[in-house]
Amino acid sequence: MYKTLTSPLASVYALLSGISQMTNCVQVDPKTVTVQYGGTPPLSAETDIGFVPILPYHVWNSLCLASLCTSVAFDPMLQTPGAFVGSGPWRCDNISTGASGGTCTQDAAGNLSGQSVLLGGRVLLKRFDGYHRCCPNVQTSMGTSLQKLSWTDGEPQSLAGDGQMDLIDIAAAAVCFGMPPITGNACTPELAAYYDHPLFGVFPDKIDIGEIATMAFYFEYGITVPYCMPSPDPLCTSPLSGSGGLITTSACGCMDPSFDPFRVLIPRSSDPPVIASYQGLFHSSANHLILRLFYSSASNLPAPSLFSAQMSADPGHAWGSMGSATGVAGASVNSVVLDFGIVSAAHFDLRLLYSNALTASSDWDHVEVSL
């Protein structure tokens, strides 16, 4: 790692106590770095460190050794391979070859360009699926981090979630540990069906160590912690406490804690709407692709056959060209299963319909899937 305080932004970083008091950084493993301080780390350390842009070592090491890092004439977009790989939810891939690191810019005539984009030019960025909040309409065979964060905070079922996975959530799942969906005790059918997740569990129709371990991994994390920032708006007066009470912010400074991108409101013409939770796509033992839904309501439910789904691998979305399915009752209480049969494609789009109409939430209209 390169010393932060020797960068061109040293004067800015020096204002952050979580940066200026750093003494060293030590790589523990490929995904973990220990930041060392001379004394007790300031409370703002985590937020301050997150403010600093990350330079990937494998991309920038040789460039910095050649003293290019701090050169104002250096254009990382025009390197071969490109060094401008992107940041956060965005990737910069070469427009012509698809190689990571650009160049992902064009001038007004459509020619590949550098980091300086002039009038008429454009920057073409791709979504980075590995970003911690990606993506409400993207699924992989094991689920995304956003799905796991939303699922572990089970309280959004009742629209009273606090935005983080905590003891309340894991205790709710624990009362159903090792039990079938219908037990007649503190483990209600709704709890069992919600926490028995096909992507994270080991055994079907049972809350097992797979679900509990996934929840434990995200303990005291969520869509509001630690990603909230204090809001400067003086009108924001509703405080929210973060992990361990160390992070305090206002309701205007972070995501709505009851927000869950994997919930959908299903309107019905003659009955009250039903709230469902999307639990992802997975291959069953017969190598069939399954889309599973869960109803949070336990009464007056719609018939499973009213659900249908269509798949397409065509950019123009010839829906149904790769297969379609009609809902049937799942093994878990209040669940619907749509079985597409054997699917060989690794990437496709999917849309979910209710009574032959698209669902109310736009995030559900097209689900991009990678297996």
Side-chain angles (χ1 to χ4, degrees):
M1 297 188 67
Y2 299 101
K3 293 182 179 179
T4 301
L5 298 182
T6 61
S7 76
L9 295 176
S11 60
V12 176
Y13 297 146
L15 300 176
L16 305 174
S17 59
I19 300 299
S20 61
Q21 297 179 29
M22 289 171 49
T23 58
N24 195 19
C25 294
V26 178
Q27 180 179 347
V28 178
D29 57 51
K31 295 184 178 180
T32 308
V33 172
T34 297
V35 179
Q36 299 176 348
Y37 292 87
T40 302
L43 293 178
S44 62
E46 187 174 354
T47 302
D48 291 348
I49 293 173
F51 175 78
V52 180
I54 298 174
L55 297 180
Y57 179 90
H58 68 285
V59 175
W60 287 84
N61 181 46
S62 60
L63 300 175
C64 290
L65 290 177
S67 301
L68 294 176
C69 289
T70 57
S71 172
V72 295
F74 174 61
D75 191 335
M77 194 79 76
L78 299 178
Q79 293 299 302
T80 304
F84 193 90
V85 295
S87 179
W90 303 109
R91 290 168 40 197
C92 174
D93 294 347
N94 187 284
I95 295 174
S96 299
T97 67
S100 176
T103 179
C104 59
T105 63
Q106 293 176 318
D107 59 23
N111 301 311
L112 295 182
S113 183
Q115 65 179 354
S116 178
V117 182
L118 303 179
L119 183 66
R122 61 177 183 168
V123 180
L124 301 178
L125 299 174
K126 292 185 178 180
R127 180 172 61 190
F128 175 48
D129 291 351
Y131 186 56
H132 64 75
R133 279 185 173 167
C134 184
C135 303
N137 67 329
V138 172
Q139 291 299 287
T140 66
S141 59
M142 292 303 293
T144 64
S145 291
L146 178 59
Q147 183 181 17
K148 293 174 183 176
L149 289 171
S150 299
W151 169 72
T152 56
D153 180 31
E155 291 155 297
Q157 298 177 73
S158 60
L159 297 180
D162 56 8
Q164 66 172 317
M165 188 278 170
D166 50 29
L167 284 174
I168 296 176
D169 301 306
I170 202 166
V175 299
C176 297
F177 183 77
M179 298 182 183
I182 302 177
T183 63
N185 59 14
C187 175
T188 65
E190 290 76 19
L191 279 177
Y194 180 85
Y195 285 111
D196 174 30
H197 203 292
L199 294 183
F200 314 135
V202 178
F203 303 104
D205 303 320
K206 181 182 295 186
I207 296 177
D208 53 52
I209 193 61
E211 284 99 355
I212 298 299
T214 301
M215 298 182 73
F217 181 82
Y218 289 97
F219 185 67
E220 291 193 338
Y221 280 79
I223 61 172
T224 62
V225 177
Y227 309 114
C228 286
M229 294 294 290
S231 172
D233 190 340
L235 297 178
C236 298
T237 56
S238 302
L240 288 173
S241 295
S243 175
L246 298 180
I247 304 173
T248 299
T249 183
S250 67
C252 298
C254 53
M255 190 181 295
D256 183 346
S258 65
F259 172 75
D260 188 340
F262 299 97
R263 290 165 55 87
V264 63
L265 182 67
I266 304 169
R268 298 186 289 178
S269 58
S270 58
D271 295 306
V274 170
I275 295 175
S277 297
Y278 170 58
Q279 290 200 317
L281 290 145
F282 64 101
H283 278 105
S284 67
S285 57
N287 202 34
H288 287 198
L289 192 66
I290 306 290
L291 170 65
R292 177 174 169 180
L293 302 171
F294 161 74
Y295 302 128
S296 59
S297 173
S299 61
N300 199 22
L301 300 177
S305 58
L306 291 176
F307 285 95
S308 62
Q310 302 168 336
M311 292 193 302
S312 170
D314 182 84
H317 290 139
W319 292 113
S321 60
M322 280 190 60
S324 59
T326 300
V328 297
S332 297
V333 175
N334 305 339
S335 64
V336 174
V337 171
L338 296 106
D339 191 336
F340 293 92
I342 297 176
V343 178
S344 58
H347 180 91
F348 53 86
D349 289 342
L350 176 148
R351 70 175 185 176
L352 177 69
L353 300 97
Y354 177 74
S355 292
N356 295 319
L358 290 174
T359 54
S361 171
S362 60
D363 288 340
W364 283 58
D365 292 354
H366 308 296
V367 180
E368 182 181 329
V369 182
S370 298
L371 295 172

